[in-house]
Amino acid sequence: MLVLLPPSEGKASSGRGAPVKLESLSLPALTAAREAVLDELVRLCAGDEGKAREVLGLSEGLRGEVAKNAGLRTAGARPAGEIYTGVLYDALDLASLDAAAKRRAAASLLVFSGLWGAVQVTDRIPSYRCSMGVKLPGLGALGAYWRTPMAAALPEAAGDGLVLDLRSAAYAAAWKPKGEQAERTATVRVLHAQVVDGVEKRSVVSHFNKATKGRIVRSLLAEGVAPKGPAELVEALRDLGYAVEAEAPAKAGKAWSLDVVVREIH
């Protein structure tokens, strides 16, 4: 099973570890593309601060992120699972998993990134600020930039097992499984159901959507559940107590769509 995750906008500090070594990151086929994005981002942020903030979509209050990006080559690196914070990662709570679950996380979780393309949670990276929606002056829109290198690297990483896609739209644009691999892919949407005037209404609540996705991944890792395909995933999630509505693809080469319905927001 390969689980595709979005990064978090907020990140922990880099710490005092050794700087990132691009050649040591997983998915080595992405190394050249990572080098190009890193060079462009550092160059941008070492220059005009106002232009860098405009390109990165940062407010005046986040100007410190520009200086942080400018120093990425020498900043300390930590495991990506410690760098990424926020609602999904708080709910996932990698640090509190037992040893076996942590090994499963290391083997199955892949976090997408505007800067790194995608990394495993054990890959050592510094804290940074660069979303997939950014358009770098020399490279253009990162979502489009990453498609070619991702198309070369990700199919092999996904292998012949289930692909559980929990990414937001911006990160999903960087790589979409195709053909038979798409048929083994399940995308998940979390819906909040509530009764209003006797009628059940459903909506997507961003915060709870992220938290529930984090809990789903944690449940699968903690219980050692490794579904072989989308249909098995649906049954596994139901066994774990989730209310799941599934829609198999209408035609070949398309992914499954899963709705996880929740009635209590917490």
Side-chain angles (χ1 to χ4, degrees):
M1 178 175 66
L2 184 67
V3 182
L4 311 181
L5 297 173
S8 60
E9 187 171 283
K11 298 174 183 69
S13 62
S14 294
R16 298 181 180 180
V20 63
K21 295 181 179 179
L22 296 184
E23 66 277 9
S24 71
L25 299 180
S26 57
L27 301 174
L30 300 180
T31 300
R34 288 166 174 154
E35 186 75 47
V37 178
L38 181 58
D39 276 348
E40 185 70 15
L41 182 61
V42 169
R43 185 181 304 111
L44 170 70
C45 292
D48 183 270
E49 182 195 278
K51 179 181 178 181
R53 284 201 293 111
E54 180 181 359
V55 169
L56 298 174
L58 300 176
S59 66
E60 172 70 24
L62 293 173
R63 61 189 305 172
E65 299 293 291
V66 175
K68 181 169 70 175
N69 281 349
L72 284 173
R73 290 283 187 184
T74 56
R78 297 168 58 187
E82 297 177 11
I83 289 290
Y84 293 115
T85 59
V87 177
L88 188 155
Y89 292 90
D90 284 348
L92 174 52
D93 195 9
L94 286 169
S96 68
L97 291 171
D98 63 30
K102 286 179 180 176
R103 287 193 294 272
R104 289 189 281 270
S108 62
L109 304 188
L110 200 61
V111 184
F112 276 62
S113 162
L115 174 54
W116 315 112
V119 292
Q120 293 180 330
V121 292
T122 51
D123 284 332
R124 299 182 64 83
I125 59 173
S127 182
Y128 66 96
R129 190 67 171 248
C130 183
S131 73
M132 193 67 81
V134 164
K135 295 181 179 179
L136 290 177
L139 299 177
L142 290 176
Y145 171 82
W146 280 111
R147 284 176 197 151
T148 298
M150 289 288 197
L154 268 292
E156 182 179 354
D160 58 3
L162 169 70
V163 178
L164 175 54
D165 191 350
L166 302 179
R167 298 171 296 169
S168 56
Y171 292 90
W175 179 67
K176 294 182 179 180
K178 296 181 179 180
E180 189 270 338
Q181 209 161 48
E183 296 171 14
R184 291 185 280 100
T185 298
T187 62
V188 174
R189 180 175 63 166
V190 178
L191 298 177
H192 176 220
Q194 54 185 333
V195 177
V196 179
D197 296 329
V199 178
E200 182 178 88
K201 296 185 177 181
R202 296 178 175 184
S203 60
V204 176
V205 180
S206 178
H207 178 97
F208 194 56
N209 174 59
K210 295 174 183 177
T212 302
K213 287 179 176 178
R215 284 192 282 270
I216 286 172
V217 177
R218 181 180 178 85
S219 296
L220 294 171
L221 295 173
E223 297 300 322
V225 179
K228 295 181 179 180
E232 292 88 344
L233 173 65
V234 172
E235 294 307 313
L237 291 177
R238 288 172 177 166
D239 289 344
L240 290 169
Y242 295 95
V244 182
E245 297 174 359
E247 183 179 340
K251 58 182 179 180
K254 299 296 183 181
W256 284 56
S257 297
L258 274 58
D259 284 343
V260 176
V261 182
V262 294
R263 289 177 168 77
E264 293 183 6
I265 294 181
H266 58 89

